[in-house]
Amino acid sequence: MDKNNFEAFTNLPALKKNAIQVCGQEFIDSLTKKGIYVKDRQFWVEVNKKLNIPDDAYESKQTREQTEREQVLLENKAKKQAENERLLANKKEVRSENRKEWKITVFELNESDIFGKNFIAECTKEPDLQEKTSFCNTKGDAYSQACDLVDHFEIQQESLRIFMEHYAVMKDLYLMIIYLSSGDQHNQYLNNIRRNSKENFTGVSCWNGFDFKIIDALEAEGLLELSSTKKNLTMNKKGMKAAINILQKINLDGVDRLLEQRKYHEEYINYKSQLDIMEEQEEEEE
């Protein structure tokens, strides 16, 4: 990092000749007399100290360059958007068709873009859906690209509809199965708290071998928490409460006995630890 700081500050490679150039031969010779050579980390520590190079020079340069790159991207994006708006300002409708409850309108531009393309298509569907193609070479290309956009959108919507129907049934089943097949989970890193108490109880945990789409949806609802590897999942207090409510309503042999064995969970779920209170305060502030 010391070499990186030197290079970032001086814009010179971390070589002895460059250290001599900016620090002087006499200073470098003084380091050599002390047994501090260019291969040593201490050499660059002393050089940086001599030049008053800050310890975060390299990180600051990286941050600055990243900011500059992002600024250039934003400026280029703004220029492109402005140019597209200029080209679209005087477009002329040349074709209009209906497809799957969508209206596809093809326009010809008065002026081509930098690639010589002067056709574009817009797809609209009530009440407020709108898609737009990129610039195209021909009227046919624009219409074909618009059809692809419409078809792709409708396929996605159909997949979403099928999944939601599936999820509506599987949600309750997953909550029940996960809850009944899990063991108690406690936060073992909280200090000065009795082991496995309601104060450090976080939920119930089990091996994650379920449909990831269902698990992701349950996690999105705040009912489950996945480990970083996604191999383990934890049903939190909110999910446990939902699972217990479902189990209490169904007529299934043995459920009452299983719930009775976990009767203490009700106290655990309703108890608010200091961590719970802090999280609630953070949510309210957001």
Side-chain angles (χ1 to χ4, degrees):
M1 181 58 72
D2 298 298
K3 287 185 176 182
N4 290 340
N5 286 333
F6 174 85
E7 293 179 347
F9 189 83
T10 64
N11 290 321
L12 296 171
L15 301 173
K16 183 177 181 179
K17 65 177 183 179
N18 293 327
I20 293 173
Q21 176 184 333
V22 295
C23 294
Q25 185 69 57
E26 183 179 350
F27 177 77
I28 300 302
D29 289 343
S30 70
L31 294 180
T32 303
K33 289 178 181 179
K34 295 177 183 178
I36 303 174
Y37 301 98
V38 69
K39 64 180 180 179
D40 302 323
R41 174 181 175 274
Q42 189 61 32
F43 178 90
W44 296 104
V45 170
E46 296 297 332
V47 168
N48 290 351
K49 189 184 299 182
K50 169 74 173 177
L51 299 173
N52 294 320
I53 296 176
D55 293 336
D56 63 346
Y58 176 72
E59 293 179 355
S60 296
K61 183 179 180 181
Q62 293 289 97
T63 301
R64 184 172 63 255
E65 290 177 346
Q66 178 64 26
T67 301
E68 291 172 353
R69 285 193 293 269
E70 291 175 354
Q71 183 63 33
V72 170
L73 290 174
L74 288 173
E75 290 175 357
N76 290 338
K77 183 178 180 180
K79 289 178 182 178
K80 184 177 180 181
Q81 183 176 349
E83 175 62 11
N84 288 346
E85 290 176 357
R86 186 186 71 81
L87 292 172
L88 292 170
N90 297 310
K91 62 183 184 293
K92 178 179 66 175
E93 181 178 328
V94 293
R95 181 178 181 181
S96 180
E97 302 282 349
N98 292 322
R99 183 181 182 87
K100 297 180 179 179
E101 300 182 357
W102 288 76
K103 181 181 179 181
I104 297 177
T105 307
V106 179
F107 297 94
E108 182 177 7
L109 311 178
N110 289 341
E111 180 184 347
S112 302
D113 68 356
I114 59 174
F115 301 106
K117 300 178 179 181
N118 62 333
F119 289 93
I120 194 170
E122 295 179 355
C123 317
T124 56
K125 181 179 181 180
E126 297 297 338
D128 55 3
L129 291 175
Q130 186 173 28
E131 298 284 342
K132 187 180 294 184
T133 70
S134 57
F135 292 129
C136 301
N137 288 314
T138 67
K139 177 172 62 176
D141 288 343
Y143 180 75
S144 178
Q145 191 177 126
C147 290
D148 290 341
L149 284 176
V150 168
D151 293 345
H152 180 68
F153 182 89
E154 291 299 325
I155 289 172
Q156 286 186 317
Q157 290 300 109
E158 179 63 12
S159 297
L160 178 61
R161 183 190 65 79
I162 292 172
F163 169 73
M164 292 308 297
E165 289 180 352
H166 180 66
Y167 179 64
V169 176
M170 297 300 292
K171 174 183 175 180
D172 291 354
L173 296 176
Y174 267 60
L175 288 173
M176 289 188 292
I177 293 171
I178 292 170
Y179 176 69
L180 293 177
S181 60
S182 298
D184 288 3
Q185 182 78 13
H186 293 81
N187 187 336
Q188 304 298 334
Y189 297 100
L190 295 178
N191 296 325
N192 301 321
I193 292 178
R194 183 167 56 84
R195 180 178 176 83
N196 296 351
S197 67
K198 60 186 177 183
E199 178 67 24
N200 63 356
F201 179 75
T202 58
V204 289
S205 178
C206 71
W207 178 261
N208 181 15
F210 300 94
D211 185 322
F212 280 115
K213 286 187 176 180
I214 299 293
I215 295 299
D216 287 343
L218 291 172
E219 184 184 26
E221 287 196 48
L223 302 170
L224 300 176
E225 297 170 9
L226 281 173
S227 65
S228 58
T229 61
K230 295 199 172 185
K231 289 184 178 180
N232 289 86
L233 58 84
T234 297
M235 177 181 284
N236 55 33
K237 294 180 181 180
K238 180 180 177 181
M240 292 171 64
K241 189 172 183 179
I244 292 171
N245 288 338
I246 295 166
L247 289 165
Q248 289 174 336
K249 295 176 182 177
I250 66 172
N251 181 19
L252 189 65
D253 290 343
V255 168
D256 291 342
R257 181 172 56 83
L258 291 176
L259 288 176
E260 185 61 31
Q261 292 173 357
R262 301 185 177 207
K263 185 70 175 177
Y264 65 95
H265 275 170
E266 294 182 14
E267 182 182 355
Y268 277 26
I269 291 170
N270 294 326
Y271 179 80
K272 289 188 178 182
S273 66
Q274 289 298 318
L275 184 61
D276 292 332
I277 295 172
M278 290 174 60
E279 290 178 348
E280 288 179 359
Q281 290 174 345
E282 289 177 358
E283 290 177 358
E284 289 176 358
E285 290 176 358
E286 292 176 357

